[in-house]
Amino acid sequence: MTKVTAQLSVSVDGFYAGPRHTGDGDWMQSAESAGFFRLTRWVTDGMAWRERQGFAGGERDTNSDVIAESFGAAGAYVMGRRMADGGEVPWGEEPPFRAPVFVVTHRPRQPLLRAGGTSFTYVTDGVASAVEQARAAAGDRDVAVAGGGSLVRQVIKAGLLDELELHVVPVVLGTGLRLLDADLDLGEKEAIELTPTRVIPTPQVTHIRYAVGGRAPLVLDDRGSGGGPTKIVG
């Protein structure tokens, strides 16, 4: 059964990059870039990632296995326009996705076909449409929401995400682009419940996979007053 999944590397304090780069300077020299590359160091060190990019070297370890699993599970991708535009030149003529990519955007563009099975289709009628088109293209594999973080939040907010995997890197950034932010539009007494389904610790990063539940009310828990579901009988 096709699942809609997302995964991001985050700091312990919940950021997936440094402060947003809004100027005309080189993004690679920005604070946003510095935070992002610190959080994704475990990825670029992995042999599976490097092989997918056509690079030599890398570590063959648990982290590399997680990367390989992720590539293998995805039959189609959903992506934000900022990420697609930023990656178009670095990814070159044969991007690493090797599957259809559906780009959520307000600016129309003709489909972009690349070598290796990657295509970019620009979807202008919203995130739900992009996910639906990706589901149709994914076959019996998963739809991977590639990011960025604001797009992942849109998918969560719309109730379309089945699985979230956070790769928690042992670093505190203090500020930056936060993955789970107030624009999820949760009520004051409302939450989105997650169920951990897998935890893989490594020295560089801890991989935590969650099944994503629906919105649920927050209710008073009075167990501290002795009125909980069970009593201790002496």
Side-chain angles (χ1 to χ4, degrees):
M1 179 179 175
T2 297
K3 295 179 297 187
V4 179
T5 70
Q7 56 175 311
L8 277 93
S9 296
V10 295
S11 63
V12 170
D13 49 345
F15 300 102
Y16 64 91
R20 185 181 182 90
H21 177 61
T22 57
D24 296 327
D26 184 0
W27 182 84
M28 293 292 289
Q29 301 301 318
S30 69
E32 180 181 343
S33 169
F36 173 79
F37 283 113
R38 171 61 187 92
L39 296 172
T40 57
R41 183 187 302 167
W42 70 272
V43 180
T44 54
D45 284 345
M47 180 177 290
W49 184 87
R50 297 187 68 81
E51 287 178 344
R52 194 80 171 200
Q53 308 292 325
F55 302 151
E59 299 293 329
R60 186 183 298 277
D61 56 11
T62 298
N63 294 329
S64 181
D65 291 343
V66 169
I67 296 165
E69 178 188 53
S70 173
F71 279 128
Y77 293 84
V78 177
M79 184 181 297
R81 183 67 183 257
R82 187 170 184 247
M83 180 176 178
D85 286 353
E88 184 172 335
V89 172
W91 291 329
E93 291 300 315
E94 189 169 350
F97 306 103
R98 302 180 189 174
V101 180
F102 296 87
V103 181
V104 180
T105 180
H106 297 294
R107 292 176 284 129
R109 181 178 178 181
Q110 290 299 310
L112 182 64
L113 303 180
R114 292 301 198 210
T118 300
S119 61
F120 295 91
T121 299
Y122 296 83
V123 180
T124 58
D125 55 346
V127 65
S129 176
V131 170
E132 181 180 358
Q133 292 180 55
R135 277 188 181 275
D140 59 355
R141 296 162 71 190
D142 293 340
V143 172
V145 181
S150 62
L151 178 65
V152 173
R153 288 197 301 276
Q154 290 179 52
V155 177
I156 295 173
K157 181 179 175 181
L160 298 173
L161 193 67
D162 300 308
E163 183 178 281
L164 175 65
E165 187 155 13
L166 299 181
H167 308 289
V168 183
V169 178
V171 64
V172 175
L173 293 185
T175 187
L177 298 178
R178 189 182 294 279
L179 173 57
L180 301 173
D181 216 334
D183 59 3
L184 289 171
D185 290 343
L186 291 168
E188 289 185 354
K189 293 186 177 182
E190 186 180 40
I192 296 171
E193 296 286 350
L194 308 177
T195 302
T197 60
R198 187 177 78 172
V199 179
I200 302 176
T202 76
Q204 300 82 19
V205 57
T206 299
H207 310 280
I208 309 175
R209 179 178 293 173
Y210 298 96
V212 180
R215 293 173 181 247
L218 296 172
V219 297
L220 176 65
D221 185 341
D222 65 349
R223 282 176 290 183
S225 66
T230 61
K231 284 188 175 181
I232 299 174
V233 179

